[in-house]
Amino acid sequence: MIRSEDAMTSPAPTTTPAQPPLGSKIAILLGVGAAVGLFFYFDLGQFLSLEALKQNRDQLLAFTEAHYALAVGLFILAYIVVTGLSLPGAVILTLAGGFLFGSVLGTLFVNVGATTGATLAFLAARYLLRDWVERKFGKWLEPVQQGFAENAFNYLMTLRLIPLFPFFVINLVSGLTRMSVGTYVAATALGIIPGSFVYAYAGRQLGTINSLKEIASPNVIGAFVLLGLLALVPTVYKRVRGAQ
């Protein structure tokens, strides 16, 4: 049951959320910019590739078996950083999670990291990067906000299930809407479970995977589309009832 206050009644916020002090805002932005710059300067993305994962799987597995709790903590932290800073590599991390921790626990740890990182990106867009997000992703704002105006929870669930827009774009654009943080967290945590499980399960057969395209088969994509359409059923029903 979606609470009435969570269902948005207009596509854009009527008031601008309170902004942090200018000094704090500048410090955070400099920190984020430095982290992203270091990631690309040192080409850390090379370690978040399918080839690197397969080459280092024995060492990673040995470390996980010897230091399980530490491995879980580092994995979740890495996922938070990658997702929160909108860096490439989340798919590879999900494969690694399935390989190292199993399909179920891997999905759980991915969900914690991805949801936390996505929420940080959501909050950053709302309180720190509003003007930049509007300039950078303005073309996506109108359709996303129109969908949120109907039913924020179900529409975000659909966007998580069906990749109509890049994951990081949804994180940022959602921050410019009136959606509550609680609704955002709940819809994100539930919506990413199917996709996370598919890639975590595939990670168990890491040695047989030669391309990420092998995982996202037409049948898998079709299943995601059906799940996404099911998430829209309450919104469609509400619209039909309103038209009667």
Side-chain angles (χ1 to χ4, degrees):
M1 178 71 66
I2 305 302
R3 298 177 302 173
S4 59
E5 60 265 31
D6 286 337
M8 301 195 311
T9 57
S10 62
T14 56
T15 59
T16 301
Q19 300 295 303
L22 181 60
S24 299
K25 184 174 181 178
I26 292 175
I28 295 173
L29 291 176
L30 287 175
V32 171
V36 174
L38 289 172
F39 178 87
F40 289 104
Y41 180 80
F42 290 106
D43 193 21
L44 299 180
Q46 64 179 308
F47 300 108
L48 295 175
S49 66
L50 181 59
E51 295 74 16
L53 180 58
K54 295 177 70 172
Q55 290 174 2
N56 297 284
R57 57 182 179 176
D58 292 336
Q59 295 92 320
L60 291 170
L61 190 59
F63 179 84
T64 300
E65 291 175 348
H67 311 282
Y68 188 84
L70 178 59
V72 171
L74 290 175
F75 175 81
I76 293 176
L77 179 60
Y79 218 112
I80 292 173
V81 171
V82 167
T83 309
L85 297 179
S86 302
L87 298 172
V91 171
I92 301 302
L93 282 176
T94 307
L95 289 174
F99 171 69
L100 297 173
F101 309 113
S103 303
V104 176
L105 286 178
T107 300
L108 174 62
F109 299 149
V110 165
N111 195 286
V112 172
T115 301
T116 303
T119 302
L120 291 176
F122 169 89
L123 294 174
R126 175 165 290 183
Y127 296 106
L128 298 173
L129 305 172
R130 175 173 294 272
D131 293 338
W132 179 82
V133 172
E134 288 179 343
R135 291 195 304 269
K136 187 73 173 178
F137 304 110
K139 63 180 180 180
W140 282 300
L141 277 175
E142 185 175 353
V144 170
Q145 289 179 335
Q146 287 178 348
F148 284 148
E150 296 293 332
N151 188 314
F153 182 89
N154 291 89
Y155 187 71
L156 181 57
M157 277 275 292
T158 300
L159 291 179
R160 294 309 193 191
L161 291 166
I162 306 176
L164 297 175
F165 306 97
F167 186 82
F168 76 94
V169 172
I170 297 303
N171 297 339
L172 297 175
V173 172
S174 297
L176 306 189
T177 69
R178 294 176 60 191
M179 179 187 297
S180 69
V181 177
T183 298
Y184 178 83
V185 170
T188 296
L190 290 174
I192 65 176
I193 288 175
S196 298
F197 181 80
V198 167
Y199 280 93
Y201 181 81
R204 300 300 293 170
Q205 290 81 40
L206 183 62
T208 64
I209 300 174
N210 297 312
S211 170
L212 296 179
K213 294 181 180 180
E214 298 175 7
I215 304 173
S217 66
N219 289 337
V220 170
I221 295 176
F224 288 162
V225 171
L226 288 176
L227 287 171
L229 293 177
L230 286 174
L232 281 179
V233 167
T235 301
V236 175
Y237 175 77
K238 180 180 178 181
R239 179 176 295 181
V240 172
R241 290 274 297 181
Q244 293 179 349

